[in-house]
Amino acid sequence: MKIKIAPSILSADFSRLGEEIQAVEAAGADLIHIDVMDGQFVPNLTVGSIVVKAARKVTRLPLDVHLMTLTPDALIPDYVKAGADIITVHWEACPHLHRTLQGIKRLGVKAGVSINPATPVSSITDIVDEIDLLLVMSVNPGFGGQEFIPKTINKIKMARKMLSQGKSQSASQPLLEVDGGINTKNARQIAAAGADIFVAGSAIFNTGDYKKAIRDLRNEKPVVRVKG
């Protein structure tokens, strides 16, 4: 299976963001990952819907919007209107998660759920059939450039098993995305554990060759899934 690469613009040069997005698209990226932080759910403060709107104008790739916010329900319509293709909210931030997911889908985009390193995979058991994507955080959210948490490998394996069993064979399984500290040293192990999408920021944007960085992360050799 070919791993999808979602460059995180959090690590891009914002003084020429449009060029950066087009550069990673030309280099072989599959999605553009946009981290939205509110300074409350996480300590950092990043971009608003206006950046999503600007990104939509310069790329045809799906915009993968990750809301690291305390009140995602109030923000979702603006990001959909701006051009998001996937909206991912945090399990930890949504007291009525099922309702939130339904609201995202009613707006015509794909719905994802993210879980922090301390949140067990079992927390999404009752909503696994409602999601299009599960985002497993392999660092504590809020900052780029952090090191991958090794215990996440087992968590990815458990998530893969749950997603594979969650929907009927006739329904498409949710994609499994992993975000945080992914690099060429651990990418193959993460893929073997069951990941479908790598979110990568500094591992791409801090290099001088985006095409090579994406190719090296994806690792074109066949990945053998580890049964978990």
Side-chain angles (χ1 to χ4, degrees):
M1 174 182 174
K2 181 180 177 181
I3 294 294
K4 295 181 183 294
I5 305 296
S8 170
I9 65 168
L10 186 64
S11 298
D13 181 351
F14 268 69
S15 69
R16 52 187 191 91
L17 184 58
E19 296 173 39
E20 290 274 70
I21 291 173
Q22 291 176 329
V24 291
E25 179 175 7
D30 301 285
L31 307 91
I32 300 297
H33 190 81
I34 302 176
D35 289 308
V36 177
M37 305 181 190
D38 64 356
Q40 299 179 66
F41 181 69
V42 293
N44 205 356
L45 183 66
T46 57
V47 303
S49 60
I50 192 171
V51 172
V52 175
K53 185 176 181 179
R56 182 73 289 158
K57 292 179 180 179
V58 299
T59 183
R60 295 181 179 179
L61 292 179
L63 298 182
D64 176 23
V65 177
H66 178 193
L67 297 181
M68 288 177 265
T69 64
L70 278 181
T71 56
D73 295 85
L75 303 174
I76 289 165
D78 286 341
Y79 284 92
V80 172
K81 185 177 180 180
D85 297 286
I86 306 167
I87 298 283
T88 297
V89 297
H90 268 263
W91 178 90
E92 301 85 1
C94 297
H96 307 291
L97 182 56
H98 187 272
R99 181 188 300 162
T100 299
L101 296 171
Q102 288 181 320
I104 294 171
K105 290 189 173 186
R106 276 197 298 269
L107 292 173
V109 300
K110 293 183 178 180
V113 170
S114 181
I115 53 175
N116 283 338
T119 302
V121 173
S122 59
S123 64
I124 67 160
T125 300
D126 292 334
I127 51 90
V128 69
D129 286 342
E130 303 297 327
I131 63 175
D132 299 297
L133 179 145
L134 171 62
L135 172 54
V136 173
M137 293 300 301
S138 46
V139 298
N140 288 294
F143 298 96
Q146 299 182 68
E147 291 187 9
F148 182 86
I149 297 173
K151 286 187 176 181
T152 307
I153 292 295
N154 286 334
K155 194 171 186 179
I156 296 167
K157 292 178 183 178
M158 288 187 285
R160 177 79 279 155
K161 184 176 181 180
M162 176 180 286
L163 296 181
S164 298
Q165 296 175 345
K167 289 193 174 184
S168 66
Q169 293 183 353
S170 61
S172 59
Q173 293 179 12
L175 293 171
L176 178 53
E177 186 173 62
V178 181
D179 183 0
I182 299 175
N183 55 45
T184 55
K185 294 179 180 179
N186 57 29
R188 192 161 178 78
Q189 185 182 15
I190 297 167
D196 298 307
I197 305 171
F198 293 165
V199 176
S202 57
I204 295 173
F205 287 108
N206 288 5
T207 72
D209 188 337
Y210 295 170
K211 186 173 183 179
K212 181 178 185 302
I214 289 172
R215 185 178 66 243
D216 290 348
L217 282 172
R218 184 179 282 126
N219 194 328
E220 299 296 348
K221 297 176 183 178
V223 173
V224 178
R225 296 295 195 199
V226 176
K227 294 182 179 180

